[in-house]
Amino acid sequence: DVKVTQSSRYLVKRTGEKVFLECVQDMDHENMFWYRQDPGLGLRLIYFSYDVKMKEKGDIPEGYSVSREKKERFSLILESASTNQTSMYLCASMGGDEQFFGPGTRLTVL
Amino acid sequence: GDSVTQMEGPVTLSEEAFLTINCTYTATGYPSLFWYVQYPGEGLQLLLKATKADDKGSNKGFEATYRKETTSFHLEKGSVQVSDSAVYFCALAMYSGGGADGLTFGKGTHLIIQP
């Protein structure tokens, strides 16, 4: 079975902290994605990666960076968390034309 | 840029009712189209997809047909169940040389089925 895991289901951080959200897939997929989900806005693409050490900006990259040192792992980094980054973060990997999603991390920034 | 518009909810129906959730899209090329479902407390799951005009995707009693002339991909089910209560997302994907540049999602439709 396809599996995408995210390091935390719930996370609470303070303004200004550096935050790491980790995502791991076990399907040997090359393409991985980070989205944020907000009520009334749906899902919006933050960053994606075609391969190790490659990254591309999505629609809302400001305030975020990513790291892809290994094929199976794609990390989202908030360099200095702000309250407007409180959201649900979803990671996905892609096989064929289908994206497989992790369960999400609900991040609250106080 | 590419965009997806879907009816916003919540949509409340009685069990065994007929369901339609409208979805239209704007894209510069020929996208693949998807419906994803998110059950409470879970991540998104692919419900069905269609990759070219006139294709019909189907799964679990749900259907959607890729209509290029109306740029639509409406989701339908003949008889809904309480277990279909979830949030439904319409999405499109465009493909470049490196693969899909991410999905473009609609805002989601919250479906509530009452017994």
Side-chain angles (χ1 to χ4, degrees):
Chain A
D1 244 5
V2 161
K3 196 145 188 181
V4 179
T5 56
Q6 296 183 228
S7 50
S8 306
R9 291 300 300 269
Y10 300 93
L11 209 53
V12 179
K13 295 292 181 181
R14 297 215 172 266
T15 301
E17 281 192 77
K18 190 168 186 175
V19 181
F20 292 87
L21 303 182
E22 306 285 342
C23 174
V24 177
Q25 50 99 357
D26 65 357
M27 298 159 282
D28 202 35
H29 289 162
E30 291 182 347
N31 294 358
M32 297 186 73
F33 306 83
W34 274 106
Y35 298 87
R36 63 177 282 177
Q37 181 180 9
D38 299 288
L41 295 176
L43 279 78
R44 294 176 291 168
L45 181 65
I46 305 171
Y47 267 97
F48 61 104
S49 169
Y50 289 130
D51 204 347
V52 175
K53 296 196 185 296
M54 295 184 69
K55 59 185 179 183
E56 298 285 342
K57 293 180 179 179
D59 298 320
I60 52 163
E62 296 79 19
Y64 303 94
S65 62
V66 290
S67 172
R68 184 108 181 260
E69 296 296 321
K70 293 185 178 181
K71 192 175 187 179
E72 67 269 19
R73 188 179 298 270
F74 191 35
S75 302
L76 181 69
I77 303 159
L78 287 66
E79 295 288 343
S80 177
S82 63
T83 54
N84 63 12
Q85 293 178 309
T86 291
S87 185
M88 171 72 86
Y89 290 89
L90 293 169
C91 173
S93 71
M94 183 166 175
D97 60 1
E98 180 176 348
Q99 291 196 15
F100 300 88
F101 285 82
T105 296
R106 184 166 294 283
L107 172 66
T108 301
V109 182
L110 301 175
Chain B
D2 301 335
S3 66
V4 175
T5 302
Q6 63 181 104
M7 55 193 295
E8 297 188 31
V11 172
T12 304
L13 295 172
S14 297
E15 207 165 19
E16 299 183 3
F18 184 86
L19 168 71
T20 300
I21 301 178
N22 291 335
C23 171
T24 57
Y25 68 89
T26 303
T28 52
Y30 300 100
S32 292
L33 301 173
F34 305 84
W35 277 100
Y36 279 82
V37 58
Q38 186 177 35
Y39 298 104
E42 299 184 15
L44 272 71
Q45 303 172 26
L46 178 66
L47 181 60
L48 53 84
K49 66 182 180 184
T51 57
K52 62 183 187 297
D54 299 325
D55 269 2
K56 177 186 280 188
S58 60
N59 186 26
K60 300 182 181 180
F62 290 90
E63 292 183 341
T65 301
Y66 189 143
R67 301 285 188 203
K68 183 180 160 191
E69 62 277 10
T70 55
T71 61
S72 65
F73 193 54
H74 305 321
L75 183 68
E76 296 182 337
K77 187 175 185 182
S79 176
V80 293
Q81 306 299 314
V82 171
S83 57
D84 294 327
S85 298
V87 181
Y88 292 80
F89 292 93
C90 185
L92 68 81
M94 297 296 295
Y95 296 92
S96 63
D101 295 340
L103 289 165
T104 298
F105 285 89
K107 293 182 179 180
T109 301
H110 186 193
L111 176 66
I112 301 168
I113 307 300
Q114 296 177 333

